[in-house]
Amino acid sequence: MTPAERLALLGPDVIARIRAEAAAAPPPSPELIAALRRILTRPANPAPAADTEQSSAA
């Protein structure tokens, strides 16, 4: 779905609310990132190593 299609389907008010709620959400914890990495990347294989640069910045 393109951004234009999403906008046409949901409308600008809903898109603005989604963006505001996403901006207000706290950043994910390193533990959550590690858990999601296993699910979202190569689910049938071992999880890739954590990005040390990103992990140290959190």
Side-chain angles (χ1 to χ4, degrees), residues 8-39:
L9 180 66
L10 298 175
D13 293 338
V14 172
I15 298 295
R17 182 174 174 185
I18 291 169
R19 288 182 177 154
E21 289 186 23
S29 68
E31 294 82 12
L32 177 60
I33 292 171
L36 291 176
R37 179 179 289 113
R38 184 170 301 279
I39 296 168

Side-chain angles (χ1 to χ4, degrees), residues 34-58:
L36 291 176
R37 179 179 289 113
R38 184 170 301 279
I39 296 168
L40 298 174
T41 60
R42 301 172 28 174
N45 297 315
D51 179 9
T52 56
E53 186 175 313
Q54 183 180 17
S55 297
S56 64

